[in-house]
Amino acid sequence: MTDHDEASAVRTLTLAWVGRHLEPGERIVRTAALHGGITAEVRRLTIGTRDGGTRHLVLRSFVGPSSAASAEDWLSREAGALTLLAGTDVPAPALVAVDPTAEHCEHPSLLMTRLPGRTVLDDAGVRTRVALLARQLVAIHAVRPAERPRAYVALTTAETVVVPTGADAAAWAAAIDVIRGPAPSYEGRFLHRDFQPGNVLFDVPPGRPEGARITGVVDWATASWGPADLDVSHCSTNLALLHGPAWGRRFAEAYQEAGGVLAAAANERLYWRVRDALACSEEVRVVARPWREAGRTELTTRAVEARLDAYVTALMDGSG
């Protein structure tokens, strides 16, 4: 996410709720919108401390009618995931407070610590970041929760896929046929479920993209239990759309090089990769918008559709 100043204050009830979770003598001195999310309104809160310094928190609120029905589930899952990850090496925010049913706030909200770093979506340094992303995802999948989160949900069906204009009709028809069949059996893993470059924070030394390191993984609202292939496929699709189809294939390779285990059979791995790519077809416009807001202005909806078509075609001819 990228920071943008925002004149509007946190809403009154939410402001009071946040205040009750600050240390004695602390107060909110500034707010700024964090652009780049899709489903929620996110703000950075600058907190003035008793000693005259500052610290930062992040407030996530689900304000739109389209997300209202899912807000309680998402915030409860995120709160559970952050609580679970507090005892691990995964660099996730610390949970401060959650109000999933808007009992105290104007809208369902979650308050958490702010991690250092920033999202990096540029092509420069992508090779280094892909290796880092792969190692980080292996570490996430190594988490063994005492209580499993709920099973993953995949909503895309053969009937809901949106074939881009001018796409390779034969390749897309074959891909759609792949997901008509039953999902392969799998060994369950703890999943982020939206692991992709927009939800990972990096520290990058000025002028040295190869010196990047991960400082945080955010947005745990859809944490789930399911196949490692699903997380890998989701990040692969996003990398293919951001940086070109070859990077989708490269991420899966990097994940295995880092010690991650994918489905043993090629047709099973293909199922998960195709399923995620086709799911993206339904929301290309939504996915591309925050990338343009972050500076990738060349990633128009049409340009991203073309990359998605190329990626699906590569998957189906065996080169993806």
Side-chain angles (χ1 to χ4, degrees):
M1 295 182 178
T2 55
D3 299 2
H4 295 270
D5 290 341
E6 185 181 68
S8 62
V10 178
R11 294 167 181 84
T12 304
L13 292 178
T14 305
L15 183 67
W17 176 75
V18 171
R20 292 196 292 273
H21 294 284
L22 300 180
E23 297 296 326
E26 292 188 332
R27 61 190 179 90
I28 299 173
V29 297
R30 187 167 179 267
T31 73
L34 294 176
H35 291 202
I38 294 175
T39 57
E41 179 182 273
V42 186
R43 286 188 176 91
R44 181 189 64 206
L45 309 181
T46 301
I47 310 300
T49 59
R50 285 186 299 177
D51 61 4
T54 59
R55 66 186 182 101
H56 297 96
L57 299 175
V58 172
L59 174 69
R60 182 199 297 277
S61 298
F62 288 87
V63 302
S66 61
S67 61
S70 302
E72 181 178 358
D73 174 50
W74 286 338
L75 290 180
S76 296
R77 274 207 269 178
E78 181 155 30
L82 296 185
T83 300
L84 165 69
L85 293 168
T88 73
D89 293 331
V90 176
L95 176 68
V96 176
V98 62
D99 182 14
T101 60
E103 180 181 355
H104 306 286
C105 305
E106 283 85 354
H107 302 286
S109 299
L110 183 142
L111 187 66
M112 57 191 149
T113 58
R114 181 174 184 264
L115 298 175
R118 60 184 178 89
T119 55
V120 182
L121 306 178
D122 299 334
D123 286 335
V126 63
R127 184 177 300 278
T128 295
R129 296 196 306 277
V130 161
L132 294 174
L133 288 167
R135 289 198 291 271
Q136 184 61 73
L137 190 54
V138 170
I140 290 170
H141 291 166
V143 172
R144 296 292 182 265
E147 183 177 344
R148 294 180 182 177
R150 68 189 59 187
Y152 79 93
V153 174
L155 300 178
T156 299
T157 68
E159 290 66 40
T160 59
V161 172
V162 179
V163 180
T165 301
D168 184 322
W172 280 75
I176 291 170
D177 279 343
V178 168
I179 68 167
R180 291 187 193 277
S185 59
Y186 61 86
E187 182 179 352
R189 290 285 184 270
F190 177 70
L191 306 182
H192 182 283
R193 197 63 179 93
D194 191 17
F195 186 84
Q196 43 92 4
N199 284 330
V200 179
L201 306 177
F202 289 89
D203 174 60
V204 184
R208 285 203 312 112
E210 72 282 357
R213 65 182 183 89
I214 290 177
T215 57
V217 182
V218 299
D219 197 351
W220 295 86
T222 51
S224 308
W225 187 261
D229 286 79
L230 197 55
D231 264 357
V232 173
S233 297
H234 187 62
C235 193
S236 293
T237 299
N238 278 266
L239 288 166
L241 303 187
L242 269 170
H243 305 297
W247 289 105
R249 179 180 67 250
R250 176 60 196 134
F251 181 71
E253 294 170 349
Y255 177 82
Q256 292 176 295
E257 290 167 3
V261 178
L262 296 175
N267 65 315
E268 294 177 342
R269 296 193 298 274
L270 178 65
Y271 176 90
W272 298 113
R273 293 187 193 183
V274 166
R275 172 164 284 287
D276 190 85
L278 296 187
C280 189
S281 77
E282 301 174 32
E283 50 188 18
V284 168
R285 191 178 303 275
V286 175
V287 168
R289 177 179 53 79
W291 293 344
R292 291 195 298 275
E293 290 176 351
R296 296 294 303 273
T297 55
E298 79 281 11
L299 293 179
T300 63
T301 298
R302 185 67 195 99
V304 175
E305 285 179 335
R307 285 188 172 181
L308 180 60
D309 177 37
Y311 181 54
V312 169
T313 301
L315 289 174
M316 298 314 298
D317 69 14
S319 61

